[in-house]
């Protein structure tokens, strides 16, 4: 019974408190809003008197200006005329300044730029009259300043303009002053109405608060006093229940302490703050890392390791996962430089509402981790040995291929050269007296000679291109595409997109040339293509060569299993060569569409 009653009283008290806050807040808001509205309106009226004063002064200034200008006509003394001119100039300056300030605002005169549409319209009518007087006055001043002895007849027309327009200016300016005065009166009248409305609103708010807040609150206070008397009786029973609860709590604390001791002895257990400061370290943790169990001045990562990199890693781990928790493996180092691997969990928890901590629960996995690292090392070592062995094999294959091709080139060149020499001697031994036989023999030998020379050029060009050694990969590929286009009748085009002209090391250039040559030859032999495009481009780190043809295409998946037809063996050598120079080869083809071979070779 006690608990519901207390809960009811608390709810009633909270309700009353909220109602009083609302009541006081409403009154305060209404007063503040009233003051703000009045202040805003008053600030808008602060400049009204100044505006009216300046506008009224304009009439006086225009009259004074006209009077002084008219006085010039009768003044004969040069010094008096000069003084009168200075007075006119000063009056004109103030009159002109005030005229523009009334329309555009002026901080020094205290004039804001906030004229009503009516005033703006009246100024538009006034401005031509003002401009006429202003221009004529300035003309008079300029003539007197430039030629003091100038006869009055020469600026009499300007004086007449001032006199003629003065009356119009006074009438229009008077109309503007009256409009300013009317608008100021309207603002004062509106402010009075605003004050009445705000007063009525405040009284209405007070009446509402009395009916709906203060009167119900009085009833609620009376009811609360009754409940308090009842609660006094129930408090005695609550005191007895509290004693029983205290005994149960003490028993639970003893059980928790026993459990904590068990955790200390069986697990690597610690409690730390989110900042990393140690609150408590379990016995097993303490023994393993040789630190006291209570070391609140120490940081957890400094206890677990003496190596700076490991300390930074643990600090980053705790900072990153102090709210979400984490589980994984970490490396630690004891004070005697012994490596320790821990499988550790970071668990955030709050022992109280105001305090948060992190539970560290870990188990040692040093032996298991050492075994895993050793397996990884042996695996990596084995893989590296295989890769080195593969590179050696590839190097030997390529080296032997180049030696064999050079040897074949030399033999072909020497053999066919001897044949040409023999042909030459045969030509010299022809009997020219027997014209008919000699002619037939010559024609036959000439055709045979042409075929042999063409064969020599083709063989030597394919085997050892001199441009590659002398000038580099770009001239060599240029020559390759030109010669193959001439010999095969195919439309073979080379395009150096980025004007690449660098020299690479000889083995890299040879392999790039052979791969490109093989790709073009495959397009000629197997693809039935008519157009072959070889394009070269480069960036800071990559040289890229693309060979496109419009041939019949094929299925790239099947090429991997073919070793003796359709370019299968050629693809194997191409892949070995690209692997040897640490490049990458991509093959894309589609039946009936064509084939693209892409080479990417690192430049650094």
């Amino acid at each position: 019974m006690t608990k519901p009653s207390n809960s009811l009283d608390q709810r009633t008290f909270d309700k009353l408190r909220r109602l009083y806050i609302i009541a006081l807040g409403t009154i305060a808001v209404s007063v503040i809003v009233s003051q703000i509205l009045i202040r805003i309106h008053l600030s808008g009226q602060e400049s009204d008197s100044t505006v009216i004063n300046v506008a009224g002064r304009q009439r006086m200034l225009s009259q004074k200006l006209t009077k002084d200008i008219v006085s010039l006509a009768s003044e004969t003394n040069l010094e008096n005329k000069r003084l009168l001119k200075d007075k006119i100039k000063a009056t004109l300056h103030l009159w002109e300044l005030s005229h523009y300030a009334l329309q555009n605002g002026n901080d020094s005169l205290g004039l804001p730029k906030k004229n009503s549409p009516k005033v703006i319209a009246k100024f538009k009518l006034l401005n031509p009259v003002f401009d006429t007087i202003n221009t004529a006055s300035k003309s008079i001043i300029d003539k007197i300043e430039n030629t003091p002895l100038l006869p009055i007849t020469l600026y009499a027309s300007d004086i007449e303009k001032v006199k003629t327009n003065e009356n119009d200016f006074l009438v229009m300016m008077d109309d503007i002053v009256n409009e300013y005065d009317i608008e100021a009166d309207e603002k004062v009248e509106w402010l009075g109405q605003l004050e009445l409305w705000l007063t009525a609103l405040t009284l209405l708010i007070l009446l509402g608060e009395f009916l709906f807040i203060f009167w119900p609150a009085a009833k609620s206070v009376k009811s609360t006093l009754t409940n308090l008397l009842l609660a006094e009786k129930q408090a005695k029973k609550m005191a007895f229940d509290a004693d029983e609860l205290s005994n149960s709590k003490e028993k639970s604390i003893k059980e928790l302490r026993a459990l904590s001791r068990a955790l200390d002895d069986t697990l690597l257990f610690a409690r730390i703050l989110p900042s990393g400061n140690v609150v408590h370290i379990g016995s097993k943790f303490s023994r393993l890392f040789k630190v006291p169990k209570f070391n609140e001045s120490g940081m957890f990562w400094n206890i677990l390791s003496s190596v700076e990199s490991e300390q930074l890693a643990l600090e980053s781990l705790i900072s990153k996962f102090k709210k979400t928790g984490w589980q994984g493996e970490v490396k630690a180092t004891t004070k005697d430089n012994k490596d320790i691997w821990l499988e550790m969990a970071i668990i955030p928890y709050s022992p109280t509402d105001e305090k948060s901590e992190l539970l560290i629960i870990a188990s040692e996995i040093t032996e298991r981790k050492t075994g895993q690292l050793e397996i990884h090392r042996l695996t990596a070592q084995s893989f590296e040995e295989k890769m080195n062995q593969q590179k050696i094999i590839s190097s030997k294959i390529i080296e032997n291929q180049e030696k064999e091709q050079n040897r074949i080139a030399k033999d072909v060149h020497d053999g066919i050269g001897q044949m040409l020499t023999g042909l030459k001697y045969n030509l010299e031994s022809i009997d020219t007296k027997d014209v008919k036989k000699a002619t037939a023999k010559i024609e036959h030998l000439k055709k045979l000679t042409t075929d042999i020379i063409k064969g020599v050029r083709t063989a030597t060009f394919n085997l050892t291109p001199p441009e590659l050694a002398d000038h580099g990969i770009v001239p060599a590929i240029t020559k390759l595409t030109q010669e193959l286009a001439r010999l095969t009748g195919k439309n073979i085009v080379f395009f150096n997109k980025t004007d690449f002209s660098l020299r690479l090391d000889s083995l890299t250039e040879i392999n790039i040339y052979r791969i490109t040559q093989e790709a073009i030859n495959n397009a000629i032999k197997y693809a039935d293509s008519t157009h072959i495009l070889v394009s070269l481009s480069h960036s800071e780190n990559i040289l890229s060569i693309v060979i496109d043809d419009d041939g019949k295409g094929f299925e790239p998946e099947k090429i991997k299993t073919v070793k003796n037809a359709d370019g299968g063996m050629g693809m194997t050598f191409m892949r070995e060569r690209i692997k040897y120079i640490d490049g990458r080869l991509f093959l894309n083809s589609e039946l009936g569409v064509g084939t693209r071979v892409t080479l990417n070779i690192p430049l650094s």
Side-chain angles (χ1 to χ4, degrees), residues 124-143:
K124 285 184 178 179
L125 296 175
L126 177 65
N127 282 335
V129 178
F130 168 84
D131 292 337
T132 302
I133 298 174
N134 188 28
T135 304
S137 301
K138 287 182 177 179
S139 176
I140 293 169
I141 293 169
D142 291 338
K143 289 175 181 178

Side-chain angles (χ1 to χ4, degrees), residues 514-526:
R514 293 303 181 199
I515 296 169
T516 306
Q517 183 184 41
E518 182 68 28
I520 297 173
N521 285 332
N522 285 343
I524 294 170
K525 293 177 185 177
Y526 308 115

Side-chain angles (χ1 to χ4, degrees), residues 65 69 72 81 85 88-89 92 95-96 130-148 150-162:
L65 181 66
I69 288 175
L72 281 173
K81 196 173 186 179
K85 182 267 297 179
I88 293 171
K89 191 174 184 179
L92 180 64
W95 183 63
E96 183 182 25
F130 168 84
D131 292 337
T132 302
I133 298 174
N134 188 28
T135 304
S137 301
K138 287 182 177 179
S139 176
I140 293 169
I141 293 169
D142 291 338
K143 289 175 181 178
I144 294 173
E145 286 181 342
N146 295 329
T147 311
L150 190 69
I152 187 67
T153 56
L154 294 180
Y155 51 85
S157 61
D158 291 328
I159 295 174
E160 187 60 28
K161 287 181 182 178
V162 173

Side-chain angles (χ1 to χ4, degrees), residues 296-419:
E296 296 188 7
S297 62
M299 305 302 286
F300 182 67
W301 42 80
N302 292 336
I303 291 174
L304 255 61
S305 179
S306 56
V307 179
E308 184 178 359
S309 59
E310 294 175 359
Q311 292 174 350
L312 292 174
L314 285 167
E315 181 181 1
S316 174
L317 197 66
I318 291 171
S319 299
K320 185 176 181 181
F321 297 103
K322 63 185 177 182
K323 292 183 179 179
T324 59
W326 177 84
Q327 185 173 356
E329 297 178 354
V330 297
K331 184 178 179 296
T333 304
T334 61
K335 291 182 178 179
D336 52 1
N337 292 324
K338 179 182 177 183
D339 291 340
I340 300 291
W341 281 92
L342 302 175
E343 187 169 7
M344 189 173 76
I346 301 173
I347 305 169
Y349 87 109
S350 299
T352 64
D353 293 338
E354 297 82 14
K355 185 178 181 182
S356 61
E357 294 183 0
L358 299 175
L359 292 180
I360 307 295
I361 300 175
S363 58
E364 186 182 355
I365 56 167
T366 304
E367 292 184 5
R368 186 183 77 189
K369 190 65 179 180
T370 302
Q372 290 176 351
L373 293 174
E374 182 64 19
I375 291 172
H376 180 73
R377 187 188 66 79
L378 293 174
T379 303
Q381 182 179 352
S382 175
F383 177 76
E384 187 176 351
E385 289 176 355
K386 287 181 180 178
M387 289 299 294
N388 291 334
Q389 185 178 5
Q390 182 64 32
K391 279 193 174 184
I392 293 171
I393 293 171
S394 299
S395 176
K396 291 295 182 183
I397 290 172
I398 294 169
E399 184 180 349
N400 290 334
Q401 285 178 342
E402 292 300 323
K403 287 181 179 178
E404 182 64 16
Q405 287 180 351
N406 288 333
R407 184 189 64 77
I408 292 171
K410 186 175 182 302
D411 292 344
V412 170
H413 188 272
D414 291 345
I416 296 176
Q418 291 174 5
M419 290 173 64

Side-chain angles (χ1 to χ4, degrees), residues 558-570:
K558 294 184 178 180
I559 273 294
K560 296 177 182 178
T561 59
V562 177
K563 296 298 181 184
N564 53 8
D566 291 339
M569 203 63 191

